[in-house]
Amino acid sequence: MMNSSISESFKSHPVQLNRIIPLDFKAHAIKLPDSHTWTLSTDNPPPVDPFTSESVPVIDLDDPNVESLTRHACEQWGMFQVTNHGIRIDLLIELEFQTRRLFSLPLEQKLHAVRSPEDFAGYGLPRISTFFPKLMWSEGFSIMGSQVEHASKLWPNDHTKFCDVMEEYEREMKDLTERILGLMLRSLGLTSEDVKWLKPKDGGSRRSEALLHLNSYPVCPDPSHAMGLAPHTDSSLLTLLYQSCTNGLQVHKENIGWAPVHPIAGALVVNVGDLMHILSNGRFKSPMHQVLLTKSCHRISMAYFYGPPVDVKISPLMNMIDHKHPALYRPVTWKEYLDAKAMHFNQAFEFIRNDVHISNK
Ligand SMILES: O=C(O)CCC(=O)C(=O)O
Ligand SMILES: [Fe+2]
């Protein structure tokens, strides 16, 4: 396994096995066990009318105004959907097929590829499970680069297609993420010269890093007392999400509360991550989002988390700072930020804020 910010940070924050091994959801299809019963706050709205409720912008990447639309979406929501992104629909269909094939295996078989307490790759509960007293009604499979080792434990003689599809999807996501990242930075008035550290030419240890995470939210006997994925922000620069066609994702927006992110056939969801929020000196939102469940549909999603090369310090870009807008955060590598997140979860920003830093001296 290559050394990376993600693997190094996970090694320093091992997770207990009871926060890794998922439930046998099929065996609990009638009644929610107490371990998975949540008291949900009343600001979780009842099912919203998809035609009237406000939601994140949908941006056609071929739109002549794409930069200003992107800036507006990042400032207002921190999330938007993109169409005309160039990812082939047959690749998305195959990706969904292979993901459903994985999660429909019996639990005993999936456990052959279970994550170890210090690792991030393989099968298990959402990583954020350590921060909540109750467990989430979901399971995941994390991939970085090639996943032959774990996939061959799932399908000893039949994993080649799965690995080929995942690797092709990772390559496509890398190109598209870098394209959208460039778009966001240009929308802030930056040139590629300002951010040349993001795409170093020498490769090697200075490559950007990424993680593909497959999520599965089985049908749930009591969705109003269960949680698919609890509210969180993403620790990446940017996350690209394919959510196929099942509802459940919600994003939080000031003055609106939780808004549904409706699946649009073939579209991808772009989510501003915490590091992009830091780079933009707070101008772009890193939005809180969550996933709710249904009684009848098994939701799956594939999240591609993109981050900077291992030795790059992320800090508010010079162009975003002036006397009216002082730098809000101190410089951090991705590993340092992941460590802060592993300890302080949704309060991590407070620990890298400049004022906290200064008062700690
Ligand atoms: O399943 C989803 O739509 C959301 C996934 C997500 O937020 C994550 O993996 O961080
Ligand atoms: Fe997320």
Side-chain angles (χ1 to χ4, degrees):
M1 181 61 63
M2 64 187 132
N3 273 354
S4 72
S5 313
I6 304 174
S7 62
E8 292 302 308
S9 176
F10 277 40
K11 240 182 256 164
S12 6
H13 301 278
V15 176
Q16 288 176 351
L17 277 179
N18 67 0
R19 287 288 182 274
I20 296 180
I21 298 183
L23 187 71
D24 188 350
F25 297 106
K26 284 195 193 115
H28 293 82
I30 307 294
K31 192 175 180 308
L32 209 57
D34 182 57
S35 55
H36 288 68
T37 305
W38 290 58
T39 312
L40 296 180
S41 69
T42 45
D43 72 344
N44 278 317
V48 212
D49 178 350
F51 299 104
T52 56
S53 55
E54 201 174 337
S55 187
V56 301
V58 180
I59 300 179
D60 177 342
L61 287 184
D62 288 338
D63 192 300
N65 297 320
V66 68
E67 277 181 25
S68 62
L69 293 170
T70 301
R71 192 186 63 240
H72 191 252
C74 293
E75 288 172 349
Q76 297 299 311
W77 289 86
M79 195 186 271
F80 53 98
Q81 307 211 46
V82 285
T83 58
N84 269 322
H85 44 60
I87 309 291
R88 299 190 329 273
I89 190 75
D90 59 313
L91 178 60
L92 296 176
I93 291 170
E94 192 59 47
L95 175 74
E96 174 167 2
F97 177 81
Q98 292 296 336
T99 303
R100 289 197 185 272
R101 177 173 165 239
L102 188 164
F103 290 117
S104 61
L105 290 171
L107 180 63
E108 313 83 74
Q109 205 166 335
K110 288 184 279 194
L111 290 179
H112 291 155
V114 77
R115 274 196 335 251
S116 72
E118 284 143 21
D119 203 355
F120 61 91
Y123 176 70
L125 285 171
R127 172 78 186 170
I128 61 173
S129 301
T130 49
F131 297 104
F132 298 91
K134 298 291 183 158
L135 292 169
M136 290 167 230
W137 194 262
S138 59
E139 54 187 338
F141 188 84
S142 301
I143 299 174
M144 187 188 253
S146 166
Q147 214 31 235
V148 175
E149 189 194 321
H150 278 108
S152 63
K153 291 182 190 151
L154 295 171
W155 301 286
N157 306 311
D158 187 16
H159 55 275
T160 316
K161 184 73 185 169
F162 176 88
C163 294
D164 289 351
V165 170
M166 295 303 152
E167 282 170 31
E168 182 180 358
Y169 189 66
E170 285 175 294
R171 280 195 302 274
E172 294 281 330
M173 283 295 106
K174 179 173 191 302
D175 290 349
L176 181 59
T177 309
E178 288 176 352
R179 183 174 155 208
I180 295 176
L181 197 56
L183 186 63
M184 286 181 180
L185 294 168
R186 282 199 305 282
S187 85
L188 287 171
L190 295 151
T191 62
S192 43
E193 192 57 22
D194 296 323
V195 285
K196 54 178 188 293
W197 50 267
L198 260 182
K199 251 194 126 173
K201 289 198 181 64
D202 55 350
S205 67
R206 303 222 54 222
R207 274 195 315 245
S208 60
E209 295 185 9
L211 176 72
L212 177 62
H213 192 78
L214 313 177
N215 295 295
S216 151
Y217 309 90
V219 291
C220 175
D222 188 1
S224 52
H225 294 101
M227 182 51 87
L229 192 61
H232 67 281
T233 60
D234 289 356
S235 313
S236 51
L237 269 172
L238 213 58
T239 308
L240 254 60
L241 182 90
Y242 179 57
Q243 58 169 343
S244 83
C245 56
T246 312
N247 278 305
L249 177 62
Q250 298 187 332
V251 60
H252 198 269
K253 185 173 190 284
E254 252 168 41
N255 304 325
I256 290 187
W258 290 108
V261 183
H262 304 295
I264 297 174
L268 291 160
V269 177
V270 180
N271 187 141
V272 171
D274 295 343
L275 298 187
M276 189 70 200
H277 172 81
I278 297 172
L279 274 187
S280 70
N281 202 26
R283 190 136 153 211
F284 286 178
K285 297 219 158 45
S286 174
M288 205 54 99
H289 52 285
Q290 66 178 9
V291 177
L292 300 185
L293 300 148
T294 73
K295 267 191 168 167
S296 53
C297 292
H298 182 168
R299 174 186 170 85
I300 55 154
S301 70
M302 303 77 172
Y304 179 82
F305 300 94
Y306 181 94
V310 67
D311 52 354
V312 163
K313 289 260 187 195
I314 294 289
S315 56
L317 293 161
M318 287 312 286
N319 315 44
M320 298 290 108
I321 303 171
D322 57 32
H323 66 285
K324 272 207 206 128
H325 305 95
L328 292 177
Y329 304 104
R330 64 185 164 88
V332 278
T333 62
W334 199 11
K335 163 145 186 348
E336 287 162 352
Y337 186 72
L338 288 169
D339 287 343
K341 198 83 181 247
M343 285 186 287
H344 310 293
F345 190 42
N346 284 342
Q347 275 75 49
F349 279 137
E350 301 312 315
F351 290 83
I352 59 159
R353 264 186 194 280
N354 268 328
D355 46 359
V356 171
H357 184 55
I358 291 160
S359 65
N360 279 348
K361 270 192 178 166

Coordinates of all heavy atoms in Angstrom, one line a residue, residues 128 230-236 239 271-274 285-289 305 337 341 345-346 348-349:
I128 N -17.3 7.8 9.8 CA -17.8 8.8 10.9 C -18.6 8.1 12.0 O -19.1 8.7 12.9 CB -18.6 10.0 10.3 CG1 -19.9 9.5 9.5 CG2 -17.7 10.8 9.3 CD1 -20.8 10.6 9.1
A230 N -25.0 10.2 8.7 CA -25.3 11.4 9.6 C -24.6 12.7 9.0 O -23.7 12.6 8.2 CB -24.7 11.1 11.0
P231 N -25.1 13.8 9.5 CA -24.7 15.1 8.9 C -23.1 15.3 9.1 O -22.6 15.0 10.2 CB -25.4 16.1 9.8 CG -26.6 15.4 10.3 CD -26.2 14.0 10.4
H232 N -22.5 15.7 8.0 CA -21.1 15.8 8.0 C -20.7 16.7 6.8 O -21.5 17.0 5.9 CB -20.3 14.5 7.8 CG -20.6 13.9 6.5 ND1 -21.7 13.2 6.1 CD2 -19.8 13.9 5.3 CE1 -21.7 12.8 4.9 NE2 -20.5 13.2 4.4
T233 N -19.4 17.2 6.8 CA -18.9 17.9 5.7 C -17.8 17.0 5.1 O -17.3 16.1 5.9 CB -18.3 19.3 6.0 OG1 -17.3 19.1 7.0 CG2 -19.4 20.2 6.5
D234 N -17.4 17.1 3.9 CA -16.3 16.3 3.3 C -15.0 16.9 3.6 O -14.8 18.1 3.4 CB -16.6 16.0 1.8 CG -17.7 15.1 1.6 OD1 -18.3 14.6 2.5 OD2 -18.1 14.9 0.4
S235 N -14.0 16.1 3.9 CA -12.6 16.6 4.2 C -11.8 16.8 3.0 O -10.6 17.1 3.1 CB -11.9 15.6 5.1 OG -12.7 15.2 6.2
S236 N -12.3 16.6 1.8 CA -11.6 16.7 0.6 C -11.4 18.2 0.1 O -11.9 19.1 0.7 CB -12.3 15.9 -0.5 OG -13.7 16.4 -0.5
T239 N -15.5 16.8 -3.8 CA -16.1 15.4 -4.0 C -17.0 15.4 -5.1 O -17.8 16.3 -5.3 CB -16.8 15.0 -2.7 OG1 -16.0 15.2 -1.5 CG2 -17.3 13.6 -2.7
N271 N -19.5 18.5 -4.7 CA -19.6 18.9 -3.4 C -18.3 19.6 -3.0 O -17.2 19.0 -3.1 CB -19.8 17.7 -2.5 CG -20.1 18.0 -1.0 OD1 -20.9 17.4 -0.4 ND2 -19.4 19.0 -0.5
V272 N -18.3 20.9 -2.6 CA -17.1 21.6 -2.2 C -16.7 21.0 -0.8 O -17.5 20.8 0.1 CB -17.5 23.1 -1.9 CG1 -16.3 23.9 -1.3 CG2 -17.8 23.8 -3.2
G273 N -15.4 20.7 -0.7 CA -14.9 20.0 0.5 C -14.3 21.1 1.4 O -14.1 22.3 1.1
D274 N -13.9 20.6 2.6 CA -13.4 21.5 3.6 C -12.1 22.3 3.2 O -11.9 23.4 3.5 CB -13.0 20.7 4.9 CG -14.2 20.1 5.6 OD1 -15.4 20.6 5.3 OD2 -14.1 19.2 6.4
K285 N -18.7 27.6 0.4 CA -19.2 26.8 1.5 C -18.8 25.3 1.4 O -18.8 24.8 0.3 CB -20.7 26.8 1.5 CG -21.3 28.1 1.7 CD -22.6 28.1 2.6 CE -22.9 29.4 3.3 NZ -22.8 30.5 2.4
S286 N -18.5 24.7 2.5 CA -18.3 23.2 2.5 C -19.6 22.8 3.3 O -19.7 22.8 4.5 CB -17.1 22.9 3.3 OG -17.0 21.5 3.5
P287 N -20.6 22.3 2.5 CA -21.9 22.2 3.1 C -22.1 20.9 3.9 O -21.5 19.9 3.6 CB -22.8 22.1 1.9 CG -22.0 21.5 0.8 CD -20.6 21.9 1.1
M288 N -22.9 21.0 5.0 CA -23.3 19.9 5.8 C -24.3 19.1 4.9 O -25.1 19.7 4.2 CB -24.0 20.5 7.0 CG -24.1 19.7 8.2 SD -22.5 19.1 8.8 CE -22.2 20.2 10.1
H289 N -24.1 17.8 4.8 CA -25.1 17.0 4.1 C -25.3 15.7 4.8 O -24.5 15.3 5.7 CB -24.6 16.7 2.6 CG -23.2 16.2 2.5 ND1 -22.1 17.0 2.7 CD2 -22.7 15.0 2.2 CE1 -21.0 16.3 2.5 NE2 -21.4 15.1 2.2
F305 N -13.4 11.3 -3.6 CA -12.9 12.4 -2.8 C -11.5 12.7 -3.3 O -10.6 11.9 -3.4 CB -12.7 12.0 -1.3 CG -14.0 11.5 -0.7 CD1 -14.4 10.2 -0.7 CD2 -14.8 12.5 -0.1 CE1 -15.6 9.8 -0.1 CE2 -16.0 12.1 0.5 CZ -16.4 10.8 0.5
Y337 N -5.1 18.0 8.4 CA -6.5 18.3 8.5 C -7.3 17.1 8.8 O -8.2 17.1 9.7 CB -7.0 19.0 7.2 CG -8.5 19.4 7.4 CD1 -8.8 20.5 8.2 CD2 -9.5 18.6 6.9 CE1 -10.1 20.8 8.5 CE2 -10.8 18.9 7.1 CZ -11.1 20.0 7.9 OH -12.4 20.3 8.2
K341 N -9.8 16.3 11.9 CA -11.2 15.9 11.7 C -11.4 14.6 12.5 O -12.5 14.4 13.1 CB -11.3 15.6 10.2 CG -12.8 15.5 9.7 CD -13.4 16.9 9.4 CE -14.8 16.7 9.0 NZ -15.1 17.0 7.6
F345 N -14.0 16.1 14.5 CA -15.1 15.9 13.6 C -15.7 17.2 13.1 O -14.9 18.0 12.5 CB -16.2 15.0 14.2 CG -17.3 14.6 13.3 CD1 -17.0 14.1 12.0 CD2 -18.6 14.6 13.6 CE1 -17.9 13.7 11.1 CE2 -19.6 14.2 12.7 CZ -19.3 13.7 11.5
N346 N -17.0 17.5 13.3 CA -17.5 18.7 12.7 C -17.0 20.0 13.3 O -17.4 21.1 12.8 CB -19.1 18.6 12.7 CG -19.6 17.7 11.7 OD1 -18.9 17.3 10.7 ND2 -20.8 17.2 11.8
A348 N -13.7 20.6 13.5 CA -12.3 20.6 13.1 C -11.9 22.0 12.7 O -10.8 22.5 13.0 CB -12.0 19.6 11.9
F349 N -12.7 22.8 12.0 CA -12.4 24.1 11.5 C -11.9 25.0 12.7 O -11.0 25.9 12.6 CB -13.5 24.8 10.8 CG -13.7 24.4 9.4 CD1 -15.0 24.2 8.9 CD2 -12.6 24.3 8.5 CE1 -15.1 23.8 7.5 CE2 -12.8 24.0 7.2 CZ -14.0 23.7 6.7

